[in-house]
Amino acid sequence: MNLGPTELIIILAIVLLLFGSRKLPDLARSLGKSSREFKKGLQEQDEEEDEAPKTAPAGEKPGARTEPAVKKPEGRTEP
């Protein structure tokens, strides 16, 4: 999907008509802030993954549980 200069001008004109000239700077500013926050969140997630313990036994993932999350009561059967 290639957008040429004509298509971009048409899209910008429609955006200008929808939001008005006063709202466009605020819209661009909030878009930039949300983009920065998203990138920051991705970097923090990568750092957390790097800090995870890497000494897990073979065949197990780091941080994997060895016990089931929910234990079933003994002596009961499911219907």
Side-chain angles (χ1 to χ4, degrees):
M1 180 177 164
N2 286 332
L3 291 178
T6 307
E7 289 88 1
L8 289 176
I9 290 172
I10 291 172
I11 291 171
L12 289 175
I14 292 171
V15 168
L16 183 62
L17 287 173
L18 289 175
F19 295 106
S21 61
R22 291 185 182 175
K23 291 284 185 181
L24 283 181
D26 294 337
L27 194 78
R29 190 175 304 116
S30 65
L31 183 63
K33 284 182 182 179
S34 62
S35 174
R36 270 185 255 123
E37 287 293 320
F38 180 73
K39 289 178 183 177
K40 183 180 173 184
L42 287 178
Q43 288 175 351
E44 288 176 358
Q45 182 180 6
D46 287 343
E47 290 172 1
E48 287 176 2
E49 288 176 358
D50 290 342
E51 293 175 1
K54 297 180 181 178
T55 59
E60 290 186 23
K61 294 180 182 178
R65 294 184 180 184
T66 57
E67 296 180 10
V70 178
K71 293 183 179 180
K72 294 181 183 178
E74 294 181 22
R76 287 186 153 181
T77 58
E78 293 184 20

